[in-house]
Amino acid sequence: MADMTLTHEQQKLQALAREFTAKHIIPVASEWDEKGEFHKFILEEVKNIGLHCMAVPKEYGGPGCDSVSQSVVMEQFGYGCCAFATTLGGNGLSSYPLAIAGTDEQKQLYYGRLVAGGMGGFALTEPGAGSDAGSCATTAKLDGDKWVLNGTKCFATTCGVANIMVVFASTDPSKGVKGLSAFIVEKERDGFSVGAVEHKMGIRSSNTVELLLKNVRIPKNHLLGNEGEGMKIAMKTLDMARPIVASMAVGVAQRALDAAVAFAKAYLDVNGKPIGMQQAVSFKLADMAIQVEAARQLVRNALRLKDAGVPYTKEAAIAKTFATDTAMQVSADAVGLMGNYGYSKDSFVEKLMRDAKVTQIYEGTNQVQRIVIAGQLLR
Amino acid sequence: MSYALTEEQQLIQQSAREFTREYIEPIATEMDRTGIHPSAVVQQMAEHDFLGLYLPEEFGGTEAGYLSYVLIIEEISRMSGAVASILINHASLAAYTMYRFGSAVQKQECLPALCSGEKLAAFALTEPGAAPGVGSHKVIATKEGDHYVLNGHKCYVANGGVADIYVVFALTNPEAGAKGMSAFIVDAKAAGLSIQRTIGKMGLRGCQSAELIFENVMVPQSNLLGAAGAGMKIVKEAQLVASVAEGAQVVGIAQAAMEDAVKYGKQRVQFGRPIAAFPAIQTMLAEMATHIHIARLAVYDAASLIEKGEDFMKEAAMVKLFTGRIGQSALIDVIQIEGGYGYSQEMIASRFYRDIKGAVITESSAAFPEKVIADDLLA
Amino acid sequence: MPRILVCYKWVLDEQDIKINPGDLSLDSSKAKYKISDYDKNAIEEAMLLVESKEGSVDALTFGSDKVKQSLKDVLSRGPGKVDWIGDTAFEQADAFVTANVLAAAIRKNGSYDLILCGEGSSDSYSQQVAPRLAAILSIPAITFVQKISIDGSRIIATRKLGDCTEVVEVAGPAVLSVLPEINKPRIPSLKQVMAAAKKPSQEVKLADLQLGAEELQPKTITLSVKGYVMNRKNILYKEANQADNVAKLVASLAQEGMC
């Protein structure tokens, strides 16, 4: 069924992403989950349809998709596999700092790599700096015409396979948050290495690693914006990324709902009637659908504000919180409704429930979203 | 906690705590990884009289009461929901059914071996039919002389493949639907009974689930439990009895998870103070502590009713309804507090998250808690 | 067929005791009681001895009025009966008083071939009660025991002394104090727990032991009990190069004699 709130172009993109998901992601997602890695060929496939770097503007060779278009695609990818969506979402996320603060030269470099099929990474979190990004212990010191980076980043999405990334480091640790700066770091720089790979409960095929930076020297012009603007860039980046994470979460929730509906129609109770005919079950399905639809429209609303160029920080945080809470609740409900079958590896809904949990945590925990929302309300 | 436990109950609790530390803690993580049935632990449970502890001495039990039994489940669950499930399926579902609905002869023949641990029991209720294209495989029992002949599949049978004896539900009168279901005692070695496969699942790994195939399995008429057609009544009562033990399982898992989150919250410093100092975290902890406390009281109360031989159906259903909600929400919050750390596959919180979902699943609509409670109110 | 007596102490579980960071005072308001850990080894050893030799095991304890809570616990671990003295005098009792009380109760209530104690208690760990008890009863004391065998009236014990062991033999009765490595106490089965309720316990009144005031007057007065907190040095190495940090850490550890 066509979604009439989308433009014709967006509908076409949605259909393309849906077809891709059905053909290339869904058949292998469980295997990726089991192994904890995805097949590289999927990235080639997604390049073939030009959806690997949706956020890159047309003038730099990308598709220059508007935010709603990115959202509808990411919802489909999230529907197929949250880990795959996280990988591509991370690609988009890593390019937002360029859109926010990049010079033309920097954009040429960064976007160029993404358009060519490289993966981008985003390294903000540290062992001692999660929600509190200001406690960053990674440092960047100017030595002649080079920045020298030292430190350890953790929970860095896609960074083990990325060939270019945005890394946050403190140029002045005495200033805390105000000393944080953003840098472009290419994988091939000396002193850059990938540390431990994180084994996660969910989104297992997405690559989450520790990054080790040891006297990594990068050109002076790899600083994004000015010294001390790192926090501002990070916050704006997360503003942009939140509705994308929310879109993936809507996809996860929709998948769980669809699975529960299919189960309710197919599974017969002892009297030979589909369990969907029991009101206890049908009302639960209705509750799930209410949440999924509300989440989707909250996400679309935030993105339309963004595409219209008006402030959307609060709406993005609201959408992220509601959509990821929905993914959590609906996926857990689907497992519950489908009973032992849903809990087993025979079904994929147990994977949805493991995957959904992380959406409440990353890109700013839902507690941080509340700080953002309340900050907007009370200012 | 001021619920008046007797000295014996407190000692039993202490024994179970020591037992868990000694025999379960060393293997719990590895068991989750491999999913292999912990036969050595089951043997130790037998030697410590856990397997028949609430059954009467005349059948080899310890007659320690159902409250003592749920205390043990709670203690074991603080370390391993899977071991608790093995015990619940053996003692609450299978053994209870035989004790409550078996004839004097059946009880004398079966229960002593279940109490001593010579035999492990399982409860075979769920049937496949939900997975796309599988179709119905209902187990049908056809009367032939002084035997019933069983044909069909049972799926997601906990302790399946490692049990020596099964309580199997089969349709003796398929046309009559629920009213045509009956329960049988079936020896695992019966000719024609085979294990199709073991089934992977999200959590409770180590409590093995299997699919059983019945191909012309001859079961003597004397193995019919209760009257022909009494199956649904048996399922309802057995599942409600078990739901009190499962409530204790939820309480144990949630309690241990909460303690883990408290420990983490005190250690993890963000924004210059331990995250446990933030009201948002304190609110989550306070709510889960309150929920767990109330759930524990409800579990103990329902267990006391069972122990006294009073009507317990409504209270047991309330345990199921309440623990189902609060157990899951507690673990969603625990992972939220622990963030990326708790989401890690190696962390105990992520195991508890996966395990608790299995503990709150309602498998049969016969024991649907809202229905049981409403029926009682409206009677 | 040895008759064995095990003495045990009902102590606060040290894991539940918190140290108030301010004045280092101990907060035991949430602490539960337990049988002192090494005493569990003594009980287990007694049970192992009678399991192979037959015989009987009794238990004896001196504690506060709360010690009554310990009876089913100790009986669930095997002994056939327990005698207990619960008195407020316990609050101030040191090893001298405790040994006097236990000795008087033993003289009053029975004769034993072997008296077993834990090497020390989990709380005060003075390691004095067993030897004092032997002295009062004028029988041999063997401490630091890691192995026991009984041959008729002969008791053969292996003592652990630093890097070597010593095997000694005495004619019973004797008091032996055992080390934790002597065995691994079993966790009581539920049938044992349930059976404990049916086993006899007997209260012995302190007043009936006819001890003089001097024998109940502690020799040692506890002036204070405070938590010991190891002060962290909180040294942070902030060299740009990780290798330098590691080198500094190793140097510091070497300086502390840690490596």
Side-chain angles (χ1 to χ4, degrees):
Chain A
M1 187 183 70
D3 186 335
M4 300 313 291
T5 64
L6 300 175
T7 65
H8 183 63
E9 282 304 309
Q10 288 164 343
Q11 287 182 29
K12 268 171 61 183
L13 210 49
Q14 186 183 42
L16 179 66
R18 185 176 286 143
E19 191 188 337
F20 181 87
T21 300
K23 187 173 170 195
H24 293 297
I25 305 178
I26 288 177
V28 286
S30 291
E31 186 193 330
W32 296 346
D33 176 65
E34 183 79 30
K35 289 185 178 158
E37 56 188 33
F38 62 85
H39 297 301
K40 293 275 174 7
F41 81 82
I42 191 83
L43 290 176
E44 298 303 319
E45 293 291 344
V46 79
K47 269 180 240 164
N48 288 342
I49 57 164
L51 292 181
H52 61 296
C53 56
M54 288 182 286
V56 174
K58 285 197 170 110
E59 58 265 41
Y60 294 96
C65 293
D66 62 74
S67 303
V68 174
S69 298
Q70 291 180 43
S71 167
V72 296
V73 171
M74 291 308 289
E75 184 187 325
Q76 292 307 318
F77 289 167
Y79 187 93
C81 176
C82 189
F84 177 72
T86 298
T87 303
L88 279 203
N91 214 20
L93 169 78
S94 90
S95 72
Y96 296 151
L98 278 295
I100 293 161
T103 63
D104 181 56
E105 193 188 357
Q106 289 170 335
K107 287 178 182 171
Q108 295 283 2
L109 167 69
Y110 205 97
Y111 290 154
R113 292 248 184 150
L114 299 191
V115 171
M119 296 298 290
F122 184 81
L124 174 62
T125 304
E126 292 187 7
S131 295
D132 177 12
S135 301
C136 176
T138 297
T139 57
K141 282 181 188 152
L142 201 54
D143 179 19
D145 62 348
K146 303 274 189 192
W147 287 103
V148 184
L149 271 59
N150 275 292
T152 303
K153 292 286 174 184
C154 65
F155 299 122
T157 304
T158 322
C159 285
V161 293
N163 67 17
I164 193 161
M165 60 207 76
V166 175
V167 175
F168 290 81
S170 182
T171 41
D172 188 350
S174 69
K175 288 188 184 161
V177 168
K178 295 201 168 91
L180 199 65
S181 304
F183 298 90
I184 298 169
V185 178
E186 301 99 318
K187 184 189 180 183
E188 62 270 19
R189 296 280 169 193
D190 285 339
F192 172 94
S193 61
V194 175
V197 177
E198 195 70 36
H199 297 285
K200 305 178 295 303
M201 169 173 76
I203 56 162
R204 288 174 44 74
S205 63
S206 98
N207 176 268
T208 309
V209 295
E210 192 179 50
L211 281 190
L212 310 174
L213 303 158
K214 190 175 150 191
N215 292 321
V216 175
R217 299 173 75 84
I218 52 170
K220 199 172 170 183
N221 64 6
H222 276 29
L223 170 70
L224 280 164
N226 296 312
E227 277 183 56
E229 286 186 351
M231 194 62 183
K232 201 175 84 188
I233 293 170
M235 286 302 110
K236 281 192 176 174
T237 300
L238 293 175
D239 270 356
M240 292 170 77
R242 276 169 192 140
I244 299 299
V245 167
S247 308
M248 290 155 43
V250 170
V252 171
Q254 182 69 52
R255 183 90 186 276
L257 172 60
D258 288 355
V261 168
F263 181 88
K265 284 181 181 169
Y267 197 70
L268 307 181
D269 65 17
V270 71
N271 292 314
K273 294 194 177 128
I275 60 160
M277 289 176 73
Q278 297 171 16
Q279 199 172 66
V281 173
S282 63
F283 272 39
K284 176 63 84 181
L285 293 172
D287 282 343
M288 292 158 76
I290 290 166
Q291 292 175 73
V292 175
E293 191 54 28
R296 180 178 291 118
Q297 296 311 330
L298 278 176
V299 174
R300 297 261 172 91
N301 178 55
L303 290 168
R304 289 196 179 102
L305 292 176
K306 180 182 172 225
D307 285 342
V310 297
Y312 68 102
T313 298
K314 184 181 73 182
E315 287 74 14
I318 289 173
K320 195 270 180 180
T321 306
F322 190 82
T324 57
D325 285 355
T326 294
M328 184 68 254
Q329 188 62 47
V330 171
S331 62
D333 284 347
V335 175
L337 194 142
M338 294 162 70
N340 284 332
Y341 170 63
Y343 191 65
S344 79
K345 301 266 176 190
D346 286 358
S347 162
F348 53 83
V349 290
E350 63 87 25
K351 172 180 181 291
L352 301 180
M353 189 182 151
R354 286 184 285 114
D355 289 351
K357 180 62 223 178
V358 83
T359 66
Q360 295 181 306
I361 297 170
Y362 65 15
E363 245 76 310
T365 66
N366 286 4
Q367 281 63 43
V368 167
Q369 306 304 324
R370 285 176 171 89
I371 295 175
V372 172
I373 296 163
Q376 295 286 321
L377 292 172
L378 296 171
R379 68 179 176 175
Chain B
M1 191 72 204
S2 72
Y3 196 95
L5 298 178
T6 65
E7 270 187 74
E8 277 81 10
Q9 286 160 347
Q10 290 177 47
L11 276 177
I12 285 171
Q13 199 173 32
Q14 177 185 307
S15 276
R17 193 166 299 163
E18 289 178 27
F19 179 92
T20 301
R21 202 177 300 142
E22 179 74 28
Y23 297 107
I24 303 178
E25 190 174 340
I27 59 123
T29 305
E30 181 66 5
M31 179 174 60
D32 176 58
R33 202 179 63 74
T34 64
I36 294 171
H37 173 77
S39 51
V41 171
V42 174
Q43 190 52 44
Q44 285 297 338
M45 288 204 289
E47 284 175 22
H48 287 80
D49 309 319
F50 288 6
L51 298 188
L53 83 158
Y54 70 86
L55 291 169
E57 286 178 359
E58 63 168 316
F59 301 121
T62 309
E63 229 168 294
Y66 207 80
L67 179 50
S68 292
Y69 166 66
V70 301
L71 291 172
I72 285 183
I73 295 286
E74 183 184 341
E75 288 303 325
I76 289 175
S77 303
R78 289 169 69 130
M79 183 46 65
S80 170
V83 174
S85 276
I86 293 170
L87 183 52
I88 291 170
N89 278 280
H90 171 84
S92 300
L93 286 167
Y96 179 87
T97 301
M98 296 184 210
Y99 168 60
R100 182 72 175 74
F101 300 99
S103 67
V105 174
Q106 286 169 335
K107 287 194 269 195
Q108 279 301 346
E109 274 181 3
C110 296
L111 291 176
L114 298 189
C115 290
S116 70
E118 186 194 322
K119 287 183 178 173
L120 191 68
F123 192 77
L125 173 65
T126 310
E127 285 162 358
V134 170
S136 178
H137 284 292
K138 295 197 179 306
V139 176
I140 310 285
T142 314
K143 187 97 184 282
E144 282 182 17
D146 58 355
H147 278 75
Y148 284 92
V149 181
L150 272 57
N151 278 292
H153 286 218
K154 287 288 176 188
C155 215
Y156 315 113
V157 178
N159 293 345
V162 291
D164 305 284
I165 191 163
Y166 293 94
V167 172
V168 179
F169 292 84
L171 294 172
T172 40
N173 181 2
E175 283 74 42
K179 289 182 183 127
M181 191 160 84
S182 307
F184 296 90
I185 300 169
V186 180
D187 194 293
K189 293 196 200 75
L193 171 55
S194 60
I195 307 301
Q196 163 99 335
R197 63 187 179 121
T198 57
I199 303 167
K201 53 190 181 187
M202 181 187 194
L204 301 177
R205 293 166 51 77
C207 174
Q208 179 172 298
S209 286
E211 181 166 353
L212 310 184
I213 303 183
F214 295 81
E215 282 173 311
N216 294 321
V217 176
M218 302 273 283
V219 178
Q221 191 179 346
S222 58
N223 282 18
L224 177 67
L225 271 167
M232 217 53 190
K233 177 171 165 264
I234 294 174
V235 166
K236 181 179 172 186
E237 184 170 333
Q239 290 205 324
L240 284 167
V241 161
S243 72
V244 178
E246 284 155 359
Q249 187 183 19
V250 171
V251 166
I253 296 172
Q255 175 75 33
M258 179 181 73
E259 287 170 9
D260 195 59
V262 165
K263 202 165 89 186
Y264 182 84
K266 283 171 156 177
Q267 286 169 356
R268 174 70 172 168
V269 174
Q270 290 283 272
F271 304 104
R273 45 182 175 156
I275 61 167
F278 289 98
I281 304 295
Q282 291 179 357
T283 303
M284 284 196 265
L285 290 172
E287 279 186 9
M288 70 178 86
T290 306
H291 287 158
I292 293 167
H293 178 69
I294 295 169
R296 181 181 287 117
L297 292 176
V299 167
Y300 290 3
D301 184 57
S304 300
L305 291 174
I306 295 170
E307 185 166 329
K308 289 180 196 149
E310 291 175 20
D311 186 11
F312 62 88
M313 300 279 202
K314 182 179 70 181
E315 286 75 8
M318 286 172 166
V319 165
K320 186 82 199 169
L321 180 63
F322 189 66
T323 56
R325 287 187 185 163
I326 66 104
Q328 184 168 302
S329 72
L331 262 296
I332 288 171
D333 283 353
V334 164
I335 303 277
Q336 194 68 19
I337 291 169
E338 298 191 7
Y341 171 86
Y343 192 69
S344 173
Q345 176 86 347
E346 287 93 5
M347 290 303 141
I348 200 167
S350 69
R351 173 156 66 82
F352 286 150
Y353 173 92
R354 290 180 288 111
D355 285 354
I356 209 161
K357 186 67 195 176
V360 303
I361 279 175
T362 307
E363 190 44 34
S364 162
S365 54
F368 214 72
E370 290 90 336
K371 176 85 175 122
V372 173
I373 298 163
D375 282 351
D376 186 276
L377 294 173
L378 300 171
Chain C
M1 295 256 291
R3 283 169 45 88
I4 303 177
L5 178 73
V6 186
C7 302
Y8 72 95
K9 188 173 181 182
W10 187 235
V11 298
L12 285 171
D13 192 332
E14 64 276 9
Q15 286 181 12
D16 300 336
I17 298 174
K18 296 220 160 50
I19 298 168
N20 292 318
D23 60 357
L24 299 182
S25 63
L26 301 187
D27 175 8
S28 55
S29 57
K30 287 188 177 171
K32 289 186 278 293
Y33 282 86
K34 65 172 184 181
I35 294 173
S36 178
D37 293 336
Y38 296 178
D39 296 344
K40 286 183 191 164
N41 294 103
I43 295 164
E44 177 69 19
E45 193 60 22
M47 297 318 299
L48 291 169
L49 288 169
V50 300
E51 275 166 20
S52 58
K53 296 264 177 197
E54 297 189 338
S56 67
V57 176
D58 292 351
L60 172 66
T61 188
F62 171 44
S64 71
D65 50 350
K66 289 201 171 67
V67 78
K68 202 179 170 194
Q69 297 166 7
S70 71
L71 306 179
K72 283 181 184 165
D73 191 346
V74 73
L75 291 172
S76 73
R77 293 171 195 274
K81 85 183 242 285
V82 57
D83 288 350
W84 56 283
I85 305 134
D87 197 285
T88 50
F90 173 78
E91 309 295 347
Q92 301 302 321
D94 61 356
F96 167 76
V97 172
T98 301
N100 286 339
V101 172
L102 293 176
I106 292 167
R107 281 185 172 140
K108 181 173 170 12
N109 281 349
S111 63
Y112 295 95
D113 304 309
L114 174 61
I115 297 168
L116 288 177
C117 299
E119 184 52 46
S121 57
S122 306
D123 52 0
S124 52
Y125 200 66
S126 73
Q127 296 175 285
Q128 293 180 26
V129 170
R132 281 179 179 278
L133 190 56
I136 299 165
L137 296 172
S138 302
I139 56 176
I142 310 176
T143 52
F144 302 112
V145 173
Q146 60 165 209
K147 192 177 169 205
I148 303 173
S149 57
I150 298 176
D151 181 10
S153 66
R154 316 294 296 172
I155 298 163
I156 298 134
T158 306
R159 305 178 66 225
K160 185 162 181 233
L161 301 166
D163 291 339
C164 58
T165 55
E166 177 188 52
V167 181
V168 298
E169 183 187 298
V170 295
V175 180
L176 273 63
S177 62
V178 304
L179 292 170
E181 66 247 42
I182 194 167
N183 57 40
K184 192 168 171 193
R186 280 166 289 187
I187 298 161
S189 75
L190 301 190
K191 285 199 164 82
Q192 286 176 300
V193 171
M194 299 306 286
K198 295 172 190 128
K199 291 180 180 175
S201 61
Q202 185 191 337
E203 182 176 6
V204 179
K205 293 280 185 198
L206 189 60
D208 295 342
L209 292 177
Q210 295 171 332
L211 288 161
E214 197 203 332
E215 289 168 294
L216 292 173
Q217 180 65 39
K219 300 275 190 197
T220 313
I221 308 296
T222 302
L223 298 179
S224 72
V225 178
K226 282 195 173 170
Y228 175 70
V229 179
M230 193 183 290
N231 285 320
R232 304 260 168 214
K233 295 198 169 161
N234 288 320
I235 303 169
L236 287 175
Y237 305 105
K238 290 183 171 171
E239 299 303 319
N241 194 332
Q242 276 301 346
D244 295 340
N245 286 326
V246 173
K248 284 195 163 186
L249 173 65
V250 171
S252 298
L253 289 172
Q255 201 181 343
E256 304 278 333
M258 303 289 285
C259 65

